[in-house]
Amino acid sequence: ILMKNFISSGDGTIPSLEALLLNIPYRPGSFPLSQSRYKQTPFEFSPAFLYNDTGYESSFIYGGDLSWRNIGEFVKYQDYDNAEGKIDIYNSVKSKDKEESEYYHPWGIFDEHLYDFILNKLNKSTQKQYIFALSTNNHPPYNVPNDYKKKSLVFSENIKNHITGDLDLAKQRFYSYQYAVDSVGKFLNKFKQSKFAQNTIIAVTADNNTIDGIMKYDDNQLLNSKNVPLYLYLPKELREKQT
């Protein structure tokens, strides 16, 4: 199920992330809770509390450094059993056939390795799993792996006329977005071929709009500049119950 017109809780990663992690609205103009006097406060509306109470193992997996915004320590107070970051993901890569630096970009490890880490965690699990994951690609400076095969980008004159700023930089942003979406798609393809496809729900969304700030719109400026997708995968049995 794909819904295209959601609006993220904030314009950046940390406000949107905290709203999802804690199940509370973002307070406009507020300081991140993970870096405030409340950084060691358990917010008991956090989904991890609910899942843990019903026998799940809960994990927060971040493709970046867990010291970012103090997020690694913060999630432990939100009842996450595990907090795992880019080093944990890199250490799990079985066949390291490239230089270490090629697995990373300035904000973390490339998305494909994050998703492989999630699949490996599911395969090794001995109890029900609740996993909250945050990827790091599609972020300035818009790096993609050296061996990623980019698909061609074709800009119509209409699109060119609506892009503000440097077109070459816009292309870098779209290539980074392309890689991020490809990585999600490959993960979903592998997941749907696994035994977990019959009993697992997946939700995928974004923390802010990819092209907010470089595109002008003829109408619906707020919706078009702020909307993000929400993708839901439901096992067949659950999906049939909803229709």
Side-chain angles (χ1 to χ4, degrees), residues 27-107:
R27 300 158 299 131
S30 63
F31 202 70
L33 292 166
S34 62
Q35 295 173 284
S36 74
R37 69 175 69 180
Y38 303 106
K39 63 185 177 182
Q40 295 180 339
T41 301
F43 289 81
E44 295 183 8
F45 290 114
S46 163
F49 286 99
L50 301 175
Y51 281 100
N52 287 349
D53 286 346
T54 54
Y56 284 74
E57 178 184 16
S58 57
S59 299
F60 174 79
I61 305 173
Y62 176 40
D65 194 318
L66 288 172
S67 64
W68 173 79
R69 303 282 189 178
N70 194 43
I71 199 66
E73 283 298 312
F74 182 66
V75 297
K76 293 178 183 178
Y77 289 93
Q78 311 318 318
D79 214 31
Y80 281 84
D81 297 316
N82 309 301
E84 296 161 304
K86 66 179 184 181
I87 301 302
D88 303 289
I89 297 170
Y90 174 76
N91 288 338
S92 75
V93 177
K94 293 180 179 178
S95 177
K96 296 184 176 70
D97 55 359
K98 300 181 288 187
E99 293 293 326
E100 181 175 347
S101 60
E102 292 190 56
Y103 290 87
Y104 295 101
H105 59 95
W107 280 92

Side-chain angles (χ1 to χ4, degrees), residues 137-182:
N137 272 107
N138 193 30
H139 190 291
Y142 308 113
N143 301 68
V144 297
N146 294 334
D147 56 0
Y148 175 61
K149 295 179 180 179
K150 300 176 182 176
K151 285 76 173 176
S152 62
L153 291 176
V154 178
F155 290 83
S156 68
E157 287 304 313
N158 187 41
I159 290 293
K160 289 180 181 178
N161 291 335
H162 283 79
I163 290 178
T164 59
D166 183 75
L167 184 61
D168 288 335
L169 180 58
K171 288 180 179 179
Q172 290 181 19
R173 293 179 73 153
F174 285 123
Y175 277 131
S176 178
Y177 178 71
Q178 181 188 100
Y179 169 73
V181 173
D182 274 353

Side-chain angles (χ1 to χ4, degrees), residues 4 32 91 110 112 136 164 169 173 195 199 203 230 239:
K4 299 180 180 180
N91 288 338
F110 284 113
E112 59 196 272
T136 53
T164 59
L169 180 58
R173 293 179 73 153
K195 62 182 179 181
N199 60 9
L230 174 63
R239 191 166 63 247

Side-chain angles (χ1 to χ4, degrees), residues 223-236:
L223 177 61
N224 285 319
S225 65
K226 302 297 182 185
N227 64 346
V228 297
L230 174 63
Y231 168 87
L232 293 173
Y233 169 83
L234 299 175
K236 183 178 179 181

Side-chain angles (χ1 to χ4, degrees), residues 189-200:
N189 286 342
K190 292 177 183 177
F191 168 82
K192 290 175 183 179
Q193 298 302 313
S194 75
K195 62 182 179 181
F196 308 107
Q198 305 306 314
N199 60 9
T200 305

